Amino acid sequence: MNKRKKKFSSKVKKPNFVLYFIIIVLLIPVMKLMFRLKIDRSGYTSPDGPFVVISNHASFMDFVVSMLSVYPHRLNAVVAQKYFFYKPLDWFLPSMGCIPKTLFAPDPHSVMGILSVIDRGDNLLLFPEGRASPGGGYMGIHKATGKLIKKLGVTVVSCHIEGAYTCMPFWRKGVRWGHQRAVLATLFTPEETQSLSIEEINSRIDLRLSGGDLPHPPDPLSVNIEKNLVQGLENLLYLCPKCKAEFTQATHGNTISCTACGNSASMDRFAKLHPSEGSIAPESVHLWYKEQALYEKSLLHEDKEALRVEVVVRRNTAPGKGIEPCGQGVISLNKSGWTYVGTLSGSEVNLFFPIESVPAVPFDPNNNFQIYNNGSILDFCPIDNLQTCVKYAVIGECAYWEFCPNIQVTPVLDMGLS
């Protein structure tokens, strides 16, 4: 039990009991019937006091799986701030006790909310990666995660989720019927959070959430209907693995192919890619996405000409109003960081985002890429080609690993960027 004095106050609500119960009752049959969800609780013992659930994050369905995994315990989830600006989420998320978080930046208000939840004896849900993984693989965590775990000093439960990315891919809207699995286990006792170093805590989190300490490779999970499996994938996988042409990928049915060289591959219902005769392709979306990142990183050097993109800018205004257009200009990237020159809410601005403050660039495929600045979210929409959002996000992340003087993200275990 956490014995820290209760000195933090917050407006974070307890999750509404009735609303939480109704959602759980509705979701259990859906997750069991549509997604054949199986939860392995063999390594988990229900804690006596407040606890933290940490989970890998490959899909927005991870919130649902994590909630179901520890029910009847209710969880206050930490959620990206931008979702609080959309209706009806501006009402729903606070009612569910969610805590808004500015991504990839210090957020004292979020930390205060987290501490207050634990201090009053409630439970917390964290996704330490800070974003949904574009390729479905583990993305590493901010090194401050271990510091937060030590400060909380409570039991930490891990929830390793598999299959959610296949059922709800990052690159397309909607869900696909399939199979999901969650492995629940006690990761740290309160005593361990105090005795282990921050580095040891982060390393154990990396190992668990990546699935690196699973005793044996899990059985592959699949979707139920093998139809239009790659629709929209061209908005994520933009680099041909054979001829290196960009934005020449086209999708049809279960096949993705390059219009420049004819290289093609088909996806099966286990989300594995199979190149056609004479073609080459990584065996998964994650590995293809990794190849793109490594290719872009190989092109970076100290004297490389700055990347420049003409964009329309959108940003949050008020809860319930969403993200609205507010300007137009040019955003550029060099070894020092990102610079936006243009208009913003009727004023001419010159904004600079140091490279160390942008460890990752979240993006919505074929729509926008985002930078968080002092609690405000800026969406940048390329004017010439919205498909390029993924490329700028990849290059931005590679630039962080190449030029940042003090990396604050744990090495991505199998991306090879560090």
Side-chain angles (χ1 to χ4, degrees):
M1 179 73 179
N2 182 32
K3 296 182 179 180
R4 184 180 57 250
K5 291 182 179 180
K6 297 184 178 182
K7 56 184 179 181
F8 294 99
S9 61
S10 171
K11 295 181 180 179
V12 178
K13 300 178 180 178
K14 290 176 176 286
N16 183 282
F17 176 81
V18 175
L19 183 60
Y20 207 97
F21 175 76
I22 292 173
I23 291 173
I24 291 294
V25 169
L26 294 176
L27 287 177
I28 287 177
V30 171
M31 298 304 293
K32 292 291 186 182
L33 295 175
M34 290 186 62
F35 305 111
R36 300 293 192 270
L37 176 63
K38 295 182 179 180
I39 302 174
D40 179 357
R41 297 186 178 89
S42 58
Y44 165 75
T45 301
S46 181
D48 294 329
F51 62 92
V52 177
V53 175
I54 59 172
S55 173
N56 59 312
H57 195 17
S59 163
F60 293 108
M61 298 181 75
D62 300 331
F63 287 93
V64 175
V65 176
S66 301
M67 289 167 57
L68 291 177
S69 296
V70 298
Y71 191 77
H73 293 291
R74 286 178 286 165
L75 300 174
N76 287 84
V78 177
V79 179
Q81 184 190 52
K82 70 175 183 178
Y83 296 110
F84 287 78
F85 291 96
Y86 293 96
K87 287 184 177 295
L89 295 179
D90 62 323
W91 164 83
F92 176 75
L93 294 178
S95 297
M96 291 292 287
C98 295
I99 303 170
K101 172 70 171 73
T102 300
L103 300 185
F104 314 114
D107 190 340
H109 293 290
S110 175
V111 174
M112 291 285 283
I114 289 171
L115 293 171
S116 69
V117 166
I118 296 299
D119 278 345
R120 75 185 182 207
D122 290 335
N123 312 306
L124 196 69
L125 172 60
L126 291 174
F127 294 96
E129 292 167 273
R131 55 178 166 154
S133 170
Y138 182 66
M139 302 296 289
I141 62 176
H142 196 283
K143 292 179 180 178
T145 304
K147 183 178 179 180
L148 176 62
I149 294 299
K150 285 187 76 71
K151 189 174 185 66
L152 296 178
V154 297
T155 299
V156 178
V157 175
S158 63
C159 183
H160 182 258
I161 301 171
E162 301 163 352
Y165 185 82
T166 308
C167 293
M168 192 177 184
F170 180 84
W171 69 82
R172 60 178 288 175
K173 295 181 179 179
V175 298
R176 307 186 296 197
W177 291 29
H179 299 256
Q180 295 186 35
R181 175 172 49 226
V183 180
L184 205 66
T186 300
L187 184 57
F188 301 110
T189 64
E191 294 73 25
E192 286 177 316
T193 64
Q194 300 309 303
S195 64
L196 295 174
S197 68
I198 292 175
E199 292 74 21
E200 288 172 326
I201 291 174
N202 286 335
S203 295
R204 192 182 292 187
I205 291 174
D206 277 336
L207 190 62
R208 177 64 54 84
L209 297 190
S210 67
D213 63 350
L214 294 177
H216 53 79
D219 296 330
L221 302 175
S222 69
V223 295
N224 293 337
I225 301 174
E226 194 169 0
K227 182 179 180 181
N228 295 326
L229 295 180
V230 298
Q231 181 181 4
L233 190 54
E234 70 276 12
N235 297 320
L236 181 72
L237 304 180
Y238 64 91
L239 184 71
C240 176
K242 186 173 184 179
C243 71
K244 303 305 180 186
E246 296 182 353
F247 304 106
T248 57
Q249 301 302 307
T251 58
H252 179 72
N254 298 336
T255 301
I256 181 169
S257 57
C258 176
T259 58
C261 70
N263 189 74
S264 66
S266 60
M267 180 180 285
D268 64 24
R269 64 190 187 95
F270 294 93
K272 297 297 183 183
L273 293 168
H274 304 277
S276 59
E277 186 177 354
S279 297
I280 60 174
E283 67 175 14
S284 69
V285 172
H286 172 61
L287 291 177
W288 193 326
Y289 190 81
K290 170 186 174 180
E291 283 196 9
Q292 292 179 164
L294 294 176
Y295 177 78
E296 297 292 2
K297 190 169 183 289
S298 71
L299 300 179
L300 295 176
H301 52 81
E302 292 282 339
D303 299 322
K304 184 177 176 61
E305 183 179 354
L307 173 74
R308 294 173 56 85
V309 188
E310 291 190 28
V311 293
V312 170
V313 186
R314 303 183 306 199
R315 72 173 176 182
N316 55 289
T317 53
K321 297 295 185 180
I323 309 293
E324 299 181 333
C326 63
Q328 184 172 326
V330 174
I331 188 168
S332 59
L333 171 67
N334 60 23
K335 65 180 181 180
S336 299
W338 295 83
T339 302
Y340 170 71
V341 179
T343 59
L344 198 64
S345 300
S347 302
E348 294 289 335
V349 298
N350 188 326
L351 304 177
F352 177 64
F353 313 100
I355 194 69
E356 59 267 22
S357 69
V358 191
V361 182
F363 68 100
D364 296 324
N366 204 38
N367 191 310
N368 66 81
F369 60 97
Q370 306 143 27
I371 292 178
Y372 287 72
N373 177 45
N374 295 327
S376 181
I377 308 158
L378 296 178
D379 281 6
F380 298 100
C381 309
I383 292 176
D384 289 343
N385 183 0
L386 287 175
Q387 269 194 306
T388 56
C389 293
V390 56
K391 177 181 173 72
Y392 303 137
V394 169
I395 292 177
E397 187 161 344
C398 290
Y400 175 82
W401 284 96
E402 184 72 12
F403 301 126
C404 182
N406 184 21
I407 300 293
Q408 288 300 308
V409 179
T410 59
V412 183
L413 301 182
D414 62 348
M415 288 291 278
L417 295 180
S418 57

